[in-house]
Amino acid sequence: MMGEIDSCTRLTGLFGHPVGHSLSPLMHNRAFQELGLPYLYAAFDIEPSNIASAVESIRALGLRGVNVTIPHKVAVMPFLDEIDEEARQIGAVNTIVNENGRLIGYNTDGRGYVQSLIEEGNINPPDARVLMLGAGGAARGVSLALLRAGVERVVITNRTYAKAEQLAVELTQLFPGRDIRSIPVEQIACEIKESTLLVQTTSIGMHPDNEASPIPAEYLHSRLLVSDLIYNPLQTRIQRDALAAGARIHSGVGMFIYQGALSFEYWTGRKAPVHIMREAVLASLTADK
């Protein structure tokens, strides 16, 4: 077990606004405790106007690193010394590592998602025919990670079609030769018939709007794996509809846990105790019900 806080304790944390709802401190501190590591994780509510001084404080106070969440994932980038290629392609940073005063930015969201999808969704990325709902930052990160993992076909749809079109163009430039397209939402019914992985990246269905779904239930079919990035509620309306249609489902909890596990490994150099992190998160989510 982790000992008492002393002068050797290293501090990590979360930069966001707001952060009061975050389960990251619970998850990471439980993982540090499990491995007996002298680390602590705290949540820092940073006003957007203070982000430059907040990043500098990582250096000044000797923090080992931080996670970065909404609304700071893009704003922190100009203040870092180095940005990993993957994070640069995504255009956002969710993990900062302090290497002896040099601040390096990474993005573990997409890789965390794919790792979770493979291990929990039992899917082989090169075989997946992906339909992506949404074209924001989460859709970009997940699409890039899926394409890096070998997915050949990604179709993107969004209520504002121009955003889907723009994302498809940018991804095609990075992955020429892949089948990457955008479609208006009116074509979802036809496109979903040819899809095997439906990825829901919008906020539709998030607590407290638990009964909302981005698409009609009758569009879903039994050959689908329906993956929703939302993890509160644990089972969204689209996932309940998917189960009723005979489809399989994949929860956003896995992405949250695995992106955190990758951050943990950057900071500590140790393999993250993923099962312990999952137990802590699920216990908290179910206790809230």
Side-chain angles (χ1 to χ4, degrees):
M1 300 290 284
M2 184 174 63
E4 294 183 1
I5 299 171
D6 59 24
S7 58
C8 294
T9 301
R10 306 202 68 181
L11 189 61
T12 61
L14 174 70
F15 283 5
H17 181 67
V19 293
H21 65 288
S22 177
L23 296 180
S24 290
L26 172 71
M27 178 174 72
H28 281 284
N29 285 321
R30 182 69 184 86
F32 294 145
Q33 184 182 53
E34 177 69 17
L35 297 188
L37 298 177
Y39 287 78
L40 282 175
Y41 188 107
F44 301 96
D45 194 329
I46 310 293
E47 292 281 350
S49 59
N50 292 330
I51 195 61
S53 54
V55 173
E56 184 55 35
S57 74
I58 300 171
R59 248 190 297 262
L61 298 176
L63 276 67
R64 174 57 176 144
V66 296
N67 285 134
V68 185
T69 190
I70 295 169
H72 304 316
K73 290 186 176 187
V74 177
V76 298
M77 295 176 74
F79 308 109
L80 303 178
D81 299 303
E82 182 182 336
I83 298 172
D84 174 73
E85 180 190 359
E86 181 181 18
R88 193 179 300 279
Q89 285 185 348
I90 293 171
V93 161
N94 83 325
T95 302
I96 298 173
V97 181
N98 181 358
E99 297 288 6
N100 300 313
R102 183 173 178 79
L103 303 184
I104 305 171
Y106 298 91
N107 195 309
T108 67
D109 285 333
R111 276 179 291 144
Y113 173 78
V114 171
Q115 194 170 345
S116 166
L117 190 68
I118 292 169
E119 297 195 17
E120 299 174 355
N122 193 30
I123 198 166
N124 181 35
D127 296 334
R129 299 167 65 85
V130 179
L131 176 59
M132 184 80 53
L133 304 182
R140 182 181 179 85
V142 166
S143 295
L144 275 164
L146 286 168
L147 289 161
R148 281 173 171 259
V151 167
E152 291 289 339
R153 177 180 180 272
V154 176
V155 178
I156 304 159
T157 187
N158 192 64
R159 281 181 294 188
T160 304
Y161 176 64
K163 288 187 66 178
E165 192 173 33
Q166 180 182 354
L167 179 55
V169 168
E170 292 173 358
L171 291 173
T172 299
Q173 291 171 345
L174 292 170
F175 297 90
R178 307 283 180 95
D179 181 6
I180 303 170
R181 294 180 285 116
S182 58
I183 61 167
V185 292
E186 292 79 12
Q187 294 180 18
I188 291 176
C190 291
E191 189 62 45
I192 200 170
K193 294 175 183 176
E194 306 300 321
S195 303
T196 60
L197 173 60
L198 177 68
V199 185
Q200 204 298 100
T201 72
T202 78
S203 60
I204 298 172
M206 185 180 293
H207 179 78
D209 197 12
N210 295 8
E211 291 306 310
S213 176
I215 60 173
E218 58 266 25
Y219 288 7
L220 302 171
H221 58 78
S222 61
R223 301 183 308 283
L224 277 174
L225 173 63
V226 176
S227 176
D228 197 331
L229 302 196
I230 293 171
Y231 61 86
N232 187 11
L234 277 173
Q235 202 172 95
T236 57
R237 174 62 184 270
I238 192 174
Q239 289 174 318
R240 298 198 302 273
D241 290 343
L243 289 174
R248 297 185 299 125
I249 63 173
H250 172 248
S251 168
V253 173
M255 178 178 179
F256 173 67
I257 292 165
Y258 278 99
Q259 64 78 27
L262 289 167
S263 298
F264 179 99
E265 290 166 9
Y266 276 126
W267 298 326
T268 67
R270 298 281 298 275
K271 185 71 175 174
V274 172
H275 64 293
I276 293 295
M277 298 168 84
R278 179 182 286 106
E279 283 178 8
V281 170
L282 290 177
S284 177
L285 288 172
T286 53
D288 289 343
K289 302 308 174 192

